[in-house]
Amino acid sequence: MAGVVETIAFGQHNVRASQIFFRSSLSYGLVNLMPLVPGHVLVISQRRVARFRDLTPPEVSDLWTSAQRIGEVVERHYKGDALTMAIQDGAAAGQTVSHVHIHVIPRRRGDFARNDEVYERLDMDKDRTKRTEEEMAEEAALLARYFDDGNTNSTDGATSP
Amino acid sequence: MAGVVETIAFGQHNVRASQIFFRSSLSYGLVNLMPLVPGHVLVISQRRVARFRDLTPPEVSDLWTSAQRIGEVVERHYKGDALTMAIQDGAAAGQTVSHVHIHVIPRRRGDFARNDEVYERLDMDKDRTKRTEEEMAEEAALLARYFDDGNTNSTDGATSP
């Protein structure tokens, strides 16, 4: 119909079909209203759910295999050296749109270097104070207890709850 | 054998089995040597590959359905309100261990608020300068061309390459 603009729901927002550059069976790829750097795009689940835990296994698989393909494209197209892929899963993690979305961000050496502090904190692999083996084993054993079911094997070091 | 410590390869590092708290068919969950906040754990592919693009679809699915389960556990256990889940995919994105790994980080309101600048930049959803619909449609059409194949439908607005 003339004058009708096709839109899809992205949380509380309506996104025009013209922003969609990728469709799979369960996901969309969207260009971003406010890109952090050129090529910063979003991958969303077609079903509107707020949290990553709300997705079914097929939705998780489709979302991330889509992000994998999209990441390859934006890295190549925007001449990046790397990618940051992130989900802000809940308001306290910075999520403002209540609809699962992956940020796929092409990265280049030094792109955030103007502000060294920021760069350091974005570096989740950066050296910080190292813990002891014992501390780590203790935490691993503690967490392993949550996974004592038919689907996974707990580690040798873990004790049953 | 007495004295033999079971380890797994995490990039260039050997990780003791005692650090593993989760095993699925293709992935491991590891506690972290240098957690950014309590409960900051890693999910790695069992196969040692550097980049996310190197994973097969079954590996991508297993890795992220594992991260989904692990995220629920660490959010609950560490009394978080949210999760940050991120891959630093390549050195320019801050990756220092050449082996695909997801950071799963329980988040709480205000946890990074001491440094407001950092918090703003970590907020990938934060308001920045908004682009026009035309700019966005143009970029979407451009990116859609990369996906013109049997598996996905390009958007109406996209033209063929």
Side-chain angles (χ1 to χ4, degrees):
Chain A
M1 283 178 287
V4 174
V5 176
E6 192 202 340
T7 62
I8 58 157
F10 176 38
Q12 63 273 40
H13 304 294
N14 289 316
V15 165
R16 284 170 181 248
S18 59
Q19 272 180 255
I20 303 169
F21 64 89
F22 174 92
R23 295 171 196 245
S24 65
S25 57
L26 300 169
S27 309
Y28 293 120
L30 305 179
V31 299
N32 199 334
L33 183 59
M34 303 172 291
L36 196 55
V37 295
H40 172 187
V41 297
L42 304 177
V43 190
I44 72 171
S45 57
Q46 291 193 13
R47 193 163 63 91
R48 185 169 68 174
V49 294
R51 295 292 311 268
F52 188 57
R53 63 180 173 227
D54 301 327
L55 297 180
T56 63
E59 287 172 330
V60 169
S61 298
D62 188 273
L63 189 73
W64 279 99
T65 51
S66 297
Q68 188 189 37
R69 294 185 60 193
I70 289 168
E72 287 201 62
V73 160
V74 295
E75 182 175 339
R76 177 156 49 110
H77 185 81
Y78 292 95
K79 299 183 172 38
D81 304 306
L83 293 168
T84 294
M85 298 195 190
I87 303 184
Q88 298 176 304
D89 189 36
Q95 185 186 33
T96 61
V97 181
S98 293
H99 186 151
V100 174
H101 56 289
I102 304 172
H103 294 267
V104 176
I105 307 174
R107 300 291 307 273
R108 291 183 187 191
R109 240 163 272 284
D111 52 5
F112 288 104
R114 283 172 303 162
N115 184 335
D116 287 344
E117 260 183 14
V118 167
Y119 194 62
E120 282 184 26
R121 292 303 285 267
L122 276 172
D123 263 358
M124 286 171 283
D125 277 0
K126 194 92 182 174
D127 270 0
R128 288 177 290 275
T129 309
K130 289 187 170 66
R131 302 195 293 174
T132 65
E133 277 167 23
E134 290 67 30
E135 284 179 279
M136 290 193 287
E138 198 176 321
E139 188 189 26
L142 188 155
L143 290 174
R145 296 178 192 178
Y146 289 97
F147 298 102
D148 276 339
D149 61 36
N151 295 324
T152 55
N153 307 314
S154 60
T155 172
D156 295 335
T159 52
S160 292
Chain B
M1 285 178 285
V4 173
V5 175
E6 191 203 340
T7 61
I8 59 158
F10 176 39
Q12 63 272 42
H13 304 294
N14 289 316
V15 166
R16 285 171 181 248
S18 58
Q19 273 181 252
I20 303 170
F21 65 88
F22 174 93
R23 294 171 197 245
S24 63
S25 57
L26 300 169
S27 309
Y28 293 120
L30 305 178
V31 300
N32 199 335
L33 184 59
M34 304 172 290
L36 197 55
V37 295
H40 173 187
V41 298
L42 303 177
V43 190
I44 72 171
S45 56
Q46 291 191 14
R47 192 162 63 91
R48 185 169 67 173
V49 295
R51 296 293 310 268
F52 188 57
R53 63 180 173 229
D54 301 327
L55 297 180
T56 64
E59 287 172 329
V60 169
S61 299
D62 188 273
L63 190 72
W64 278 100
T65 50
S66 298
Q68 188 188 39
R69 294 185 60 194
I70 289 168
E72 287 201 61
V73 159
V74 294
E75 182 176 337
R76 177 155 48 111
H77 185 81
Y78 292 95
K79 299 183 172 41
D81 304 306
L83 294 167
T84 294
M85 299 195 191
I87 302 184
Q88 297 176 303
D89 187 37
Q95 184 185 34
T96 61
V97 181
S98 292
H99 185 151
V100 175
H101 55 289
I102 304 173
H103 294 268
V104 176
I105 307 174
R107 300 292 306 275
R108 291 183 185 189
R109 239 162 273 283
D111 52 4
F112 287 104
R114 282 171 304 161
N115 184 334
D116 286 343
E117 261 183 12
V118 167
Y119 193 61
E120 283 185 24
R121 293 303 285 267
L122 277 172
D123 263 358
M124 286 171 281
D125 277 0
K126 195 92 182 174
D127 270 1
R128 287 178 291 276
T129 308
K130 290 187 170 66
R131 302 196 292 173
T132 65
E133 277 168 22
E134 290 67 31
E135 282 180 280
M136 292 193 287
E138 196 177 324
E139 189 189 24
L142 187 156
L143 291 174
R145 295 178 193 178
Y146 289 97
F147 298 101
D148 276 339
D149 60 37
N151 294 324
T152 54
N153 307 314
S154 61
T155 172
D156 295 337
T159 52
S160 292

